[in-house]
Each structure stands twice: as structure tokens, then as C-alpha cells.
Amino acid sequence: VEETRSTQKTNQIPQLFITMAEHFKLPTEILQPARAFVGLVGLNHVQNAVHRTIWDAFTVSRKQDRQLINFKSFEGNHEYPKYKPRELADCEGYTPNGVLKAAWFGKHCAEVPSLLVLFYDLEWADPQWDERQLELASRVQVIRTALGDRPTLLAIVLIQAERASQQLNDKVIGLCEACQLPQNCLFLLPYSDRITGYILKLENVFMDLSQQYYAKLVKLLKAKRDGLNKDIQPLLMLRYQFKISFFSEMRQDYAAALRYYNAAYTMLVELLDQRSTDNHLLELKIIGGIVSYKICRLNFKLDQVRDALYQFQRHIEEFRYRVGPSSLSFEHEAWMTRQFSLFGDLFCESVKKGLTAIQTQHPGVYYQLAARHALQRKRLASQICKDAAGCVGKSPPSLPATRYLGQRPWRVGIMGNEPSSPEHEMECIQLVQAHEYYVEHSWQIIPLLTEAIGHFQKLGGIRMAKYLKMLVGVEHYFNGEYDKALALLQDVAMTYQVERWPKILSEILIRVLRCSCVLGRIDVYLTTILELIGSNPSLISDDERCRLQQNMQKIVELNQLPEIEPGLSNENVEVAKAIWHNASTGQQTVVITSSFSCVECKASFRDNSFTGNHPVSVTVYMRSTAPLPMKFNKIHLLFNIPDYNQSSVEKLSLVPGETCAVSFEFLVLPQHIGIDLEILGVELCTGVGGYCAMELHWSSRDALISSMMESPWQQLEIKPSASVYPCESNIEVSLDHSPPMIIDEWYSVRVVIKNTEPQAISVVMVTFGLDNNQDNELIETAAVATVPGNQGDQVEWEPSLELQISDMEPGQIDGADLLVRCTQAASRQFVLKINYEITIGDKDQPIRCVYEKDQVITLNSVQPFAVSRKITNMKCQEMCPAQDICTVYYKECFLLHTGVEASSPWPIIIKKVSFNFANYVVDLSPEDLAVGEVQLGAGEEANVLSCLMVNRSATTSLSLGSCTLEWCRASSPTHHISSTTLPLPIVEVTTAPFTVKTVLPPFGISQQTFAASYTIHNTTPLVQEFEVKMTSSEHFMLAGTQQTKFRILPTQSHVLTYNMFPLSSGNLPLPPFQLEHTRNPKRYMSLLESLLPTHIYIKPSPTALPATV
């Protein structure tokens, strides 16, 4: 189809549309958008480079946004068509010989310009201005003389090197008077780098002048039309109405042109009813097709798509049954083809410009209808024109051309219903039929079908596209292009095979058979024969099926040439014989996929499942629907595992209508236990004595395709796959472990196996792992191993483990030690599988059978302990009792309390507690506070105290680090030490603008003065202001500054000293030292509470003790 698409559509289709027969044609100007016609005079674009640039700017690479003008270059002395005006008085009673002259379109589109523009090289400062002005005036006069009385407008363009810097009104007026032109018809064209801009401006002016010309013609024609008698002069009125429409279109007045064309079409329909005879029908059909085409084109251009569709449907319904003479009925089909294809072109052009097509209304529908009428034209031509072609010969003479569109050569000048000469009419009709008989209709049909296929495929009409492809293939077949026909028909045949269209399929296959025979394609030839001889006898006779089967036997068995297929020309028969003779000298093998051949095959397992100690049984069923027996000498059975592919060299003879069965048996290898076996296909081989061997292939999918003929064959149950399971096991399996499992420990599990089989077992494989039917999170947080991992390692081992133990004699007990580790508390399922082999059979041919036993185990995991962490100040006061994140101060000490409470039902031993603090955390704890080995029972708790300081300030939260606990069960203190790592709290670090250091004696004595000093240090680079209040209490008398305000310079300190006199003894509260930061009085209250001491111990005075003591 792609090769057909590459044919020159623009050359072939217009020929089909323009030439319905050799004796009449349509002007090519009708198929093009109407453009204003402007003539350019005085441009020597062959020898003058400047003129060549100007000419190219007007004519080369015109974009769509430019004016619709057709430019043509004329010589100064060119002779234009003579003007023959008909006055209004002359139109009365005038009866034309036809509606439209065939040369009228070409005359007004390429011969008679609406505007003639004279280009002349003349500078304002030319020293010979007067002489050049006279020369220009003489050239204008020559053009006027050549035009005669035609109303064509004239204009002058002066080509100058540069624009004039000053107004030269005198020269402009003098030049216009000398040339007898108004000043608005004189233009300047400066030749510079910006010449394109000047050209575009000139085009706009030329279009305005052309529109004036066409408007004048329209006005004149309207006056003539209005003076006619509609009943007496309908043809002349139709002619004037069409000319008015065409000139309106040329002046780009599309709305008016559409209105005039509609009126012309209405006139034509009325005239058609008046002149319903066959004498003038063809002329009216040609004119009607032109007018309807113009209406549809303008509707599409004005985005009135529905009006275009309505007009075309109206047009087709008007002329559908106006066939004309039966001897020339093929002309009506050619005309219908013309209408549908032209409308398809318009529709396609609009789609390319953005119109949205739908599946039920798109250009492909009209191309397909055009192709249908072209096929009908081909059939009528073969029926009607054969006798005329035999009488006239292969080179019939041409008919004389007519002046008017659509007129018959034998009715030139006869406008009434008067009969023409019968002898002359019959002679001309015979010539028309002879010309039609030798037309290459296939080359006219194929491009139409190809266009339709493209549009149907774009919009999802796959089935219609396949049908049209079939028609294209048939046309290639009739045209003798058998290679293209074969490619297309083979593609289409696959679709009709799957969708079961036997009648259409048989016709396609017969043509495929003939094409493959002519081309010597043995593979396609044999494949097609196998499909045809298996067809329903009601579609192909038994004699034909026997002939085809005998041809196949000659190729594959008898080493003979087949009979050439009937229906081929003598030339093709000789070519085919030569190709087949060359093919018979070699040896080749043809592989055929036999989904739809006359031989049907089904392969099935006996059962859906087998065990490892029983053979697998497969049966292959075959039958033939051919009329004669078919012989095969080899059969292959293919599986998804190539190790089990089977072959049989037993010769088979398939009797028509009988089912043949061949069985295969084999044992499964131990490594394939647990794998599903699947039948991939069956191969039948034949062709021992011929020059071509044939292999028929069936896949498992083909076996499931039911036959096209009803029979018990369809009731055969097919099992294309089977599962192979291990043998039933008799061994005893138990587990030795101590549940529950503790998180992060290496939990010991021992698998105990006792051989209770009557024979020794070998290759004993133990597989233990997590059940894959659980949540992924449970699988990812557990692992199985035989040895524990390093302390602190993350769980990255496989979730299952396989290991082998030694062979076991009957009654022997053995086992395997496994370790399981989990990182989350949950209930998990583990699968334990024991695979082993037992050798049975003779010693010469031992058979290894695989046995399997599996068991599902549920293990629960619990937390070993609960860890609590809290932060306090140096007074053991909690710093964040109601918050998740504590706030500590930069370079201020605080305490970290870590508590470990055992929650496991089994006693555990804490081997070691280690801290991995962040690099910005300073550990100030003494070494003797490290925790040693401690055993904890359920509910018991151990605590660790750490003194820390953060030496880095930050705007975000910081982690203090992590804590690692190394532990084990108390029942196995030397084995499987586990490690648990926990994160330490996250803190926010705040920088305080000051610190307070208090100096007090370790104790005081009642009624003895001691000194107390408070040092306030400014830690910022700014001056800080403070206020201090110190009041006495009931336990102390106080001497010193009790209230003051002071400022501390950056990084400096201020000391306040007090003398305190205790009045009693005991652990007494100190007088409150109230320090306020004047900028933030309450912000640092918690800091002060942690820095300032609140109590001091006071001993009794020695003088107060009794004397006896």
C-alpha cells in the first residue's frame, strides 16, 4: 500500500477526473482557487539582474498570507485576445450554442489580465528626462493599442536606485499627463535591500486595482443578465450567472461569489428539468459538477462545513439516476467518480488546515465511494466496449474537440431536441467506447483506494481499511503486478482467517495461489494449498481440492512440476513454468505455520499434574480434512524445557475424517521438580522424495483454535500444561528452640530430622526462611543465618537459607542448627522445607526420585527491655517535663539519665553500655561511673548517669548521639551476644548572654559570718545591663548591696560580695538572689534556677553546745 501511495496522485487522479472520455475535458483552472490575473510588462528577467530579483520577489516562494494574484510576464507588443462586446440590444433573442466555452477559463486566468503593470527604469535626476518620458509614453500607447477596447487597467512602476529626497510634483504630473494615466496609477520601486517590503505594498495596490476591474465586469454582466428572458434564454442566463460568480471569486468577494454560485446551481436544476433528454444531459452534468465544486470549496473556505456537506449530498441526489444513454453509461460512473474524489480532495485539504474529522464523516468515505464508481465504470467498460474495441482496433482515432464544455462531437451546434445524424452518432459512440476499453482503469482505482485506506486507518476503521486493501490487491492482480498483489492479499487473508469469513477468504486465497504460482513462491504456494484443500466443500469443489493436493504431492513427494494454475494468461504460464523448472533443480525446506491448514493437530498431557517417580504422558492428536490421504515421516514435540523435546520417526498416514493419536512418555529430571511443563508446539515433516521438504508447525495457541467444520474433534479436552510435584515424604521433622524470640538476638533453632523411609536418603537439603505471603515489612526486618553477624551490623542477609546435610540411613537422626534475627516485634511465619532423593529401579538404569516435606512455623518476637532517657540540670531537675525536645544552654553542664528496664520473660545480662556522643557533645562524667556486667530479671531496672556539655550553638535541633547495649540471655552468657543501638534525645541549644558563678563555703557555722560572692560574666560582644535584688531572710542576716543596676562590658565580669550571718543551724535556704536581664527579664529564669544554689548547710555554733559534751 505504501508503494501504491507513492504513485503521483496529483498526476493520476486529475487525469481520471478531467478525462471521462477522450472527446471532452474539463479546464484545469477550475480545480485551482480563483486568483486575480495581473500582467507584468517591461521586466527583462533573463538578462537584467535587477529585473530578475523583482520578478522572483513577485513569483517565487509565495506564502499563504500573500495576496491571491497570478502574475505573468508579457512582452510590450504582445497580442491579446480580441474583445467582442455584445451590447444589451444584441442579447435579445440570442440563443447560444452552449453554456460555457472550454477556453473561457484559460482566457481570463492566463491571457486577459485585469491589470497590466509597465516597469520602467527611470531616475528623477535623469539628464535625458524628456526623451525618456516620451519613450515611456510611447510604450504605454503600444499596450493600449494591443488591448483594444478591453477595460484592462494600466499602471506604471518606476524602478529607481533610491528614494527621492524631495517631492517632484511637476515631474509626476507631467509624466502622468504624457502617459494619459491618473496619478494613483504611478508607483515607485526603490531597488534596495528592503525590496520585499516594497513588493508587498505593490501587491496590495495591484489587488485593489484588479478588484476594480472585476467589479466593473460583474456590473456589466448583471446588466446583461437582467435584460434576458428567463423562459426563452435560460442557457444564456446561466452563462452570465456563472461568469458573475467566477469574477466575484477572482475579486476575493467570497460571500457574494457563494451567493451567486448557489443561484447558478438553482438555475441549472430548473434547466435540467426542462431539458430532461439525453441530448444535453452531459453538458448540464459537467456544468453542474463545476458549480457544485465551487460552492463546496467556498463553504469549506468560509468554515461552513455543514453547508458543504449538504450541497454535495444535494448534488449527488440530483444527478445519481441521470445516467444518460445506456451505451455510454460508463461515462456516468466516471462523472460520479469525479464528484466524490473532488469532494474528498476538498475535505482532505480542510482537515489538513485544522478541521476535525470523525469516523463516520471523513475524506476516506468519499475516496472509497469514488473508487466504487470507478470499479463500476471498469465493469461497464468491459461489458459494453468490447465489441467496439474489436471493430475499431487498438489505436482508435481521436474525436474532434468541441468549443463548449460537455457537448457531444456529433451534436455540435444542435441546441434543441432535433436528432443528429444516426450514422455519425453511432460512429462517434463506437469511437468513445473503443477509447474507454483501452483505459488503464486499475491505475485510476488504486490511488483512490490508497487515499481511502490512509484516512480509515487514521480514524480507527481497521476493518474497512483491510477490505480496501483487498480491493487494491485485486487491482494489482488484474494489472499484472503479482508481487504487490501477493503482499497485500496475504496481509488481508490473515484478518479474514481469524474473523472467519470463509467466502471472502476462499476468493482471496485463490488469487494468492495464482500470484505465488507465477512468482514461484513455493512456501506461499504450499501454505495456500493446505488452506484451500481444508476449506468447506461448498466453497471449493472436490475436484479442485483433489487437483490442488496432487500438485502439492508432486512437489514434496514425486519430484515433479505442478500444474500451472488456471486463469493465467499464456505469457504468465510460460514465465511460471520457467521459474518452477529452476526451483526443481535445488533442495529446500518450507516451514509452514499451520494454524488454518487442512491438517489439524492438538497436543495434551494425560493429567494436570505428575509426581517425580511417575512418567509424564503426552498424546498428540492429528486429523486431516483433505480429500486424499496425507503422509508424514517424522513428528516433533516441543516443550518449554528443551531437555524433554520428543521425536518420532514413525511414518504416519492421515486418512481424511479419521483421528490419529501418537503418545510420548518420559521421566522428569530432579532439577525440574516443581516446574510447570508446557507444550510449545508440534512439528510434522514430509517430503522425502521431492525437491522441497515441508514442515508443518503448530503452537499451543493454534491447538486451542476450533475447527471451521463441526465434528467430535472439537470435543477433545486439551491440557497444554502440567505441574510436576515431588514425591510424598515419610520422614519426621521437629524443631528444638525456646520461644519467644527476643528482638536483635540471634535466636537458635535446631532442625531435627529422622529418616523413617525404608531406604537411605541422599542429597538432603534443608531450606528455612520467611514465608513470602507476609507483609514486606515483616520480611525486610528479619534474617536467617548459620553464624551470627558482627556486633551492630544492620540486617541485610537473605530472608531464607539453604544448606545440605549428610546422607542418612533408615532410622538415623540428624539435624541442622540455624539462627534467626528480627529487628521488630511481631509474629512471623517461617517455612521449613526438606528435599531429598531416593534411588529406585535397577542398578543398570537407576531412577532418582525427589521427595519434599514442608512445614510452616510461627515465631513471636518480643522486646528485650525498655529504655528511658531524660535530661536534668545539675540539681537533677527535669529540664523538659512537658516537651518532647529539651533546651540546653551553650557550654552549660547538664545530666543525662539512661534507664534500662528488662521486659523479656527470660533473664538477660547487660554486658556493656557504651555511648557514642556527637562530636559537639563533651562527656564530663568520671570513668568510675561506667556500668559493668549486670543481670536483670523481668521488671528490674538499671540506670546510667552522664554529665554532658554542648560546645556548639545551632539554630536547629541537635542529636546527642546514640547508646549501644550489648546483652545476651542469662541461659547462654558466652554465646550469641546481641547488640541494640538506641538514639539519644534531641536537644535545642540556646546561647545565654551571661553566666553566674557562685562562691560559697562548703558549710557555715551558726552565728559566724561567712562571705558569699556572685560573679556575673557577659558572654556576648555587646554591653549587657542587669538589675540585682538581694533580701534578707529569717535564717540569715545580710550585709552588702541589696538592690543595684549595673552594666557589663563585652566579655567582662561583675562581682557582688555579701557577708551572711546565719541565725540558726541545719540545711537552710539562702537569701534569694534575684538577677534580672533588663532586656528580657523572664527569659532566663530557668537558667538562673539551674546556676544559683538555693541551700547551704549550717553547723551549730560550738559555744552553744552543753559543757558536758
Side-chain angles (χ1 to χ4, degrees), residues 101 115 1101:
K101 292 182 179 180
L115 172 68
S1101 175

Side-chain angles (χ1 to χ4, degrees), residues 376-639:
Q376 181 64 18
R377 174 190 177 186
K378 179 180 179 181
R379 285 190 287 269
L380 291 175
S382 62
Q383 297 171 4
I384 299 174
C385 306
K386 186 175 182 181
D387 295 337
C391 297
V392 177
K394 292 187 177 181
S395 301
S398 300
L399 290 170
T402 58
R403 293 182 60 193
Y404 292 91
L405 290 175
Q407 282 192 349
R408 302 288 190 185
W410 56 88
R411 292 194 60 84
V412 175
I414 304 176
M415 295 307 299
N417 291 327
E418 300 84 3
S420 59
S421 172
E423 296 80 7
H424 180 59
E425 181 175 345
M426 183 60 64
E427 180 182 355
C428 292
I429 291 176
Q430 195 174 40
L431 286 177
V432 173
Q433 291 176 346
H435 279 284
E436 180 68 18
Y437 185 79
Y438 293 109
V439 171
E440 294 291 342
H441 295 93
S442 294
W443 291 116
Q444 301 169 352
I445 298 170
I446 290 174
L448 292 171
L449 291 174
T450 303
E451 285 294 321
I453 290 171
H455 289 284
F456 275 106
Q457 287 179 339
K458 289 179 182 178
L459 295 173
I462 304 301
R463 182 171 292 177
M464 178 59 76
K466 290 289 184 181
Y467 171 72
L468 298 179
K469 278 186 179 181
M470 181 196 71
L471 297 181
V472 174
V474 171
E475 290 304 316
H476 281 300
Y477 171 80
F478 285 123
N479 205 41
E481 295 183 318
Y482 297 107
D483 51 347
K484 296 181 180 179
L486 182 60
L488 290 170
L489 294 177
Q490 274 188 296
D491 180 35
V492 175
M494 290 297 297
T495 302
Y496 289 110
Q497 284 171 342
V498 175
E499 297 187 0
R500 300 296 174 85
W501 295 82
K503 179 64 176 177
I504 301 177
L505 179 61
S506 61
E507 296 178 358
I508 294 175
L509 292 178
I510 289 174
R511 290 191 173 90
V512 170
L513 187 70
R514 293 174 182 174
C515 292
S516 60
C517 180
V518 174
L519 298 174
R521 293 283 301 276
I522 300 178
D523 54 343
V524 180
Y525 187 74
L526 294 177
T527 302
T528 310
I529 287 179
L530 288 173
E531 295 180 13
L532 285 173
I533 63 179
S535 302
N536 195 318
S538 62
L539 301 176
I540 300 178
S541 64
D542 290 338
D543 294 339
E544 179 65 14
R545 294 168 65 211
C546 291
R547 184 189 70 82
L548 293 175
Q549 188 171 358
Q550 290 172 358
N551 263 4
M552 182 181 66
Q553 292 175 348
K554 289 179 180 180
I555 297 173
V556 299
E557 297 178 7
L558 304 178
N559 199 20
Q560 298 178 5
L561 296 179
E563 294 181 4
I564 302 303
E565 295 300 317
L568 298 175
S569 63
N570 295 331
E571 181 181 357
N572 290 329
V573 169
E574 296 301 325
V575 173
K577 286 182 178 180
I579 294 176
W580 280 94
H581 179 73
N582 295 333
S584 64
T585 59
Q587 183 69 32
Q588 58 180 309
T589 301
V590 175
V591 179
I592 300 175
T593 302
S594 304
S595 304
F596 302 94
S597 69
C598 62
V599 180
E600 296 176 281
C601 179
K602 296 182 178 181
S604 174
F605 287 95
R606 185 187 63 190
D607 299 312
N608 291 324
S609 61
F610 299 87
T611 56
N613 56 351
H614 291 85
V616 177
S617 178
V618 181
T619 303
V620 179
Y621 302 95
M622 295 163 287
R623 76 158 188 171
S624 171
T625 57
L628 302 176
M630 296 191 67
K631 297 179 181 180
F632 297 93
N633 50 28
K634 188 181 295 185
I635 181 173
H636 295 284
L637 184 61
L638 307 177
F639 293 89

